[in-house]
Amino acid sequence: MSEPALKIPDAPAAEPEMIGGSELATYLSGKLCHDFISPAGAISTGFDLMDDPSSADMREHALDMIRASAAKLIQIVEFARVAYGAATTVESFDSTGLKPMVEALFEGARASLDWQVPDMALSKRQARILLNLAQVALSTLPLGGVLSLEASRADGVFQVKARCVHERVRLKAEVSVGLAGQRLSEGLTGLWVQPYWLWLSVAEAGGQVSVREGEGQISLRAAIPARA
């Protein structure tokens, strides 16, 4: 499949709209709470089992649940610090340090990762774009497949590309709307807000997002000025 021209997807037809302030913060907070609640709840359940005298035989199982859920929660927090811009004390990231964060997304997923990102220094925004694009791309492969992730810096442009391959690869409507920089009119905001956040991070740097759908594959690409 040939490389698509860099452009905002055609659908929906409305002009992209910058959504920010308390409205965007509300949507992002909702997504983060959704991401945190499962491992946090499992930790709480584990402690409940340990406190229950009738569940003494479940103590080791409870400890395993607490350990695994705590590790998962830490992974989510580490990802969120970079993906949503809270790591304010760090000015740049090494791509090799971001690889474990992306690999953690695939734990328990049916899809596999083909990491083709070279060792390179990334600005905060570039790291944010890479992580968000990886997770958005993974959402197109709920039934398995391969996600090939690439990043490059050349001719004054930094770009991240994801190629998602599976016979049943799917770009959900909310994701398509978010990647086009559009306000969600119907559907789930939890599915929409991260693609929109990715689009916003790219647009604010003067870049573009492109989406190309083909038979059995979807390609996503984000490109911004290399200095951003």
Side-chain angles (χ1 to χ4, degrees), residues 134-152:
Q135 191 167 40
V136 170
L138 178 58
S139 73
T140 71
L141 295 169
L143 299 178
V146 178
L147 191 163
S148 299
L149 190 66
E150 304 176 26
S152 63

Side-chain angles (χ1 to χ4, degrees), residues 101-119:
M101 299 183 192
V102 176
E103 290 175 330
L105 299 175
F106 287 77
E107 294 180 6
R110 296 185 180 183
S112 60
L113 172 66
D114 177 18
W115 178 268
Q116 299 184 24
V117 179
D119 186 4

Side-chain angles (χ1 to χ4, degrees), residues 6 126 152-160 222-227:
L6 285 175
Q126 292 166 356
S152 63
R153 185 185 292 112
D155 300 323
V157 174
F158 170 79
Q159 65 176 346
V160 182
I224 63 173
R227 66 180 181 278

